[in-house]
């Protein structure tokens, strides 16, 4: 929950209205311009516990080549109304240094 919140707050700093979705992991944005009920995943997270040790990671799509995701089903969901997006795809033009700065600030507000 807190990892998703971290990403949601970070995206909000760039004017992106993202959120959680019941039954789906990660962070999603509505894409009404694609059609009614369309949503794209903008950030993913993974959590694993092995021998009592937790591992976690997040991935925020800043400006990847989205064609690389064409064969990937986000969260294993095969419905066409669910895809993958990025900040660049949402016309948010930012560099990694700026994204990193926002991520650091948002992280401290949640985990400090």
């Amino acid at each position: 929950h807190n990892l998703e919140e971290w990403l949601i707050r970070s995206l909000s700093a760039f004017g992106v209205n993202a959120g959680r979705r019941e039954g789906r992991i990660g962070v999603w944005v509505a894409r009404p311009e694609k059609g009614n009920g369309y949503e794209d995943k903008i950030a993913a997270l993974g959590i694993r516990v092995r021998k009592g040790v937790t591992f976690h990671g997040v991935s925020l799509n800043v400006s990847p080549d989205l064609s690389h995701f064409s064969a990937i089903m986000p969260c294993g969901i095969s419905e066409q109304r669910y895809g993958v997006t990025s900040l660049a795809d949402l016309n948010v033009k930012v560099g990694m240094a700026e994204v990193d700065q926002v991520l650091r600030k948002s992280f401290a507000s949640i985990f400090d």
Side-chain angles (χ1 to χ4, degrees), residues 26-91:
V27 179
W28 298 78
V29 295
R31 299 302 299 268
E33 71 278 8
K34 291 182 172 184
N36 188 31
Y38 277 68
E39 296 184 320
D40 288 342
K41 190 173 196 174
I42 192 165
L45 58 120
I47 301 168
R48 178 179 180 191
V49 179
R50 186 176 66 191
K51 297 181 182 180
V53 177
T54 59
F55 300 86
H56 62 274
V58 298
S59 174
L60 172 61
N61 296 334
V62 177
S63 61
D65 179 346
L66 293 177
S67 70
H68 295 177
F69 293 94
S70 63
I72 295 173
M73 291 183 288
C75 294
I77 301 168
S78 60
E79 292 180 58
Q80 276 193 308
R81 64 187 178 119
Y82 300 121
V84 178
T85 192
S86 67
L87 287 170
D89 186 48
L90 297 172
N91 294 314

Side-chain angles (χ1 to χ4, degrees), residues 9-16 60 87 92 94-95 98-99 102:
R9 288 185 191 182
S10 296
L11 288 163
S12 178
F14 297 110
V16 176
L60 172 61
L87 287 170
V92 178
V94 294
E98 188 176 355
V99 171
V102 168

